[in-house]
Amino acid sequence: MLPGLGGIAGSRNKMGGLNLRQLTLREIGMPLKHAFETSFGVTTERRIIIVEALDESGALGYGECTAMEQPLFNHESVDAAWTVIIGSICPMLSSMPPTSAAAFANSLSSIRGNRMAIAAVENAVWDLEAKLRGIPLWKHLGGVRETINTGVSIGLQKSVDVLIEKVAKEVDAGYQRIKLKIKPGHDIKLVDAVRARFGNILLSVDANSAYTLDDISVFEALDDHELLMIEQPLQPGDLIDHSKLQKKIRTSICLDESITSLRDAEQALEIDACRIINIKLGRVGGHTEAKRIQELALSKNIPVWCGGMLETGVGRAHNIAMATLEGFSLPGDISASARYWDEDIVESPVVVSPDGTINAPSGPGIGFEVRDDLIDSLCTRSESYPFSPAKAVVGS
Ligand code: OSB
Ligand code: MG
């Protein structure tokens, strides 16, 4: 018998610990309402892995894998994440079952990278644990606010006029910060036009690593536009050039892709490679590492905010919970379900108030009901991994 079942698990459960019985992965296809263009490509449909963690009591926790379809944002992809979860994460959990959500990361600490794959499972376990305790996930994580502030990320558009229309719509909807995607040749003129039309709104740009230090003239021009931040201008691994750039501009650099761990954050801050951090649950490996980065940033007075990866309601719900933590002082990329999806997989969908805020839910766990039937109807493949000597069972 493998550890995690039978006697060991039984006695652990009496002490209030977790007793994972099975993980199920379901991949769904979700067409976006509008194509989302970044400097690395255009996304028209998301392929999303939903992870379900089943406890022996029958309770279910949900996580969402934020890996993109192709390895363009980072090295991960949907297919690679699926393989890593089934082929590496599940066997490791089976041989070293976590006794709590907080202990989960330790069970997998020997895996290099692949943090979106890990986060999908870890976050399902956090949801499960909060449900077992009957408390909202945001409280379980130590959240300090019931209302979070939100902004939007607006992709590259066909023309400046179309961009202006999109910004107008989101400003009218009440979003507190507008972020524009930029890429070489589509940067200064976008910011110029939005500033000219909307004046002193809270505005930022996100380059998704599309520039080098040779583009200093672009950053100098952007520096005159009172941006809240310039997000991830240079290559993910290039902290040194980010530090050089930060010395040349007044505008805060915010790192997204570069920060995959607490260690990355420590090193970035040590050399002043950024003055703001975008924390994405997937990119850093789940709630535990996200919390560590938030704590570090708070101790150094570095503002953080919650980034997005075009998530469904499950990932959005986890983002909302994380953004209730102290230190998340800037509006996150956590917008309404309706901006992306005709029909979200949670009930009710994520809604944003006219003042650009979202209320943290009061129900147990992620606090949103997951629409199992809808997931089944959107499902393109599924696989379950029972934590027992039986091998993985391949589904539809
Ligand atoms: O860099 O923040 C990013 C979407 C996909 C990949 C990377 C990013 C984004 C976004 C969208 O900016 C944020 C959202 O989910 O609303
Ligand atoms: Mg980004």
Side-chain angles (χ1 to χ4, degrees):
M1 184 181 297
L2 285 182
L5 288 173
I8 303 171
S11 57
R12 180 183 303 121
N13 205 41
K14 280 185 209 113
M15 300 185 310
L18 278 174
N19 191 359
L20 274 185
R21 274 295 146 116
Q22 179 167 284
L23 281 190
T24 299
L25 307 191
R26 281 181 292 176
E27 181 182 325
I28 56 175
M30 295 274 287
L32 285 163
K33 273 184 165 174
H34 310 282
F36 191 85
E37 182 169 353
T38 67
S39 65
F40 61 78
V42 183
T43 306
T44 53
E45 177 175 331
R46 292 287 280 118
R47 288 172 52 202
I48 285 170
I49 304 170
I50 298 295
V51 176
E52 222 178 82
L54 173 71
D55 180 74
E56 66 166 3
S57 67
L60 282 176
Y62 290 91
E64 169 168 343
C65 183
T66 62
M68 305 286 291
E69 294 67 32
Q70 297 296 327
L72 303 176
F73 170 78
N74 66 355
H75 70 279
E76 299 193 71
S77 66
V78 177
D79 292 320
W82 187 286
T83 300
V84 169
I85 294 173
I86 294 293
S88 305
I89 293 175
C90 286
M92 280 189 199
L93 290 178
S94 178
S95 68
M96 206 202 280
T99 53
S100 68
F104 179 94
N106 287 339
S107 302
L108 301 178
S109 59
S110 56
I111 295 180
R112 303 231 191 256
N114 294 289
R115 287 172 184 254
M116 289 173 168
I118 293 172
V121 183
E122 179 180 307
N123 293 348
V125 171
W126 274 103
D127 178 33
L128 174 61
E129 190 173 81
K131 282 174 175 156
L132 289 171
R133 295 185 188 191
I135 55 173
L137 174 62
W138 68 270
K139 285 194 177 160
H140 188 35
L141 291 168
V144 296
R145 61 176 75 83
E146 286 186 50
T147 298
I148 62 161
N149 297 325
T150 70
V152 285
S153 172
I154 301 184
L156 290 154
Q157 304 296 323
K158 294 217 168 355
S159 69
V160 172
D161 288 346
V162 175
L163 177 65
I164 294 291
E165 265 173 49
K166 295 253 172 188
V167 174
K169 188 173 164 220
E170 307 302 3
V171 168
D172 286 348
Y175 286 104
Q176 298 182 11
R177 184 267 291 138
I178 301 291
K179 159 171 137 184
L180 308 177
K181 290 290 191 180
I182 57 168
K183 68 176 181 182
H186 300 265
D187 36 46
I188 304 161
K189 66 180 179 193
L190 306 186
V191 175
D192 270 341
V194 170
R195 272 286 180 241
R197 169 72 177 72
F198 299 96
N200 197 25
I201 57 171
L202 209 50
L203 186 65
S204 68
V205 294
D206 185 0
N208 288 110
S209 309
Y211 295 85
T212 72
L213 274 188
D214 292 342
D215 299 305
I216 185 67
S217 62
V218 174
F219 299 113
E220 282 167 355
L222 290 174
D223 211 18
D224 294 332
H225 285 81
E226 303 300 327
L227 296 172
L228 175 62
M229 68 189 105
I230 299 177
E231 184 177 340
Q232 197 66 43
L234 314 175
Q235 289 295 300
D238 208 343
L239 292 185
I240 292 179
D241 279 5
H242 278 105
S243 168
K244 287 181 185 163
L245 179 58
Q246 184 66 88
K247 283 181 181 58
K248 293 184 176 155
I249 57 177
R250 283 180 300 124
T251 311
S252 294
I253 291 178
C254 167
L255 290 177
D256 175 353
E257 285 91 322
S258 289
I259 307 297
T260 70
S261 63
L262 173 67
R263 194 75 193 111
D264 286 343
E266 285 169 344
Q267 294 186 347
L269 296 182
E270 189 174 323
I271 64 168
D272 191 27
C274 68
R275 294 179 183 162
I276 296 177
I277 296 176
N278 165 337
I279 302 185
K280 284 183 180 165
L281 278 169
R283 202 193 63 227
V284 306
H287 283 296
T288 303
E289 195 75 359
K291 222 161 124 65
R292 289 186 184 131
I293 297 171
Q294 176 266 319
E295 282 160 9
L296 169 78
L298 186 63
S299 75
K300 295 188 177 301
N301 272 319
I302 296 289
V304 303
W305 55 281
C306 171
M309 292 293 293
L310 312 176
E311 290 94 342
T312 72
V314 171
R316 243 160 248 279
H318 278 283
N319 288 344
I320 293 167
M322 177 177 75
T324 66
L325 294 175
E326 211 179 341
F328 279 79
S329 55
L330 295 173
D333 279 347
I334 315 176
S335 44
S337 298
R339 285 192 68 237
Y340 295 106
W341 318 116
D342 283 323
E343 214 179 1
D344 202 346
I345 59 169
V346 295
E347 184 78 59
S348 48
V350 175
V351 293
V352 172
S353 308
D355 63 349
T357 61
I358 296 177
N359 295 325
S362 55
I366 57 173
F368 289 83
E369 215 53 61
V370 176
R371 299 173 65 183
D372 227 43
D373 293 355
L374 182 58
I375 293 183
D376 274 341
S377 72
L378 297 168
C379 184
T380 52
R381 60 170 160 165
S382 72
E383 190 163 348
S384 287
Y385 192 101
F387 291 102
S388 75
K391 260 180 66 81
V393 179
V394 178
S396 58

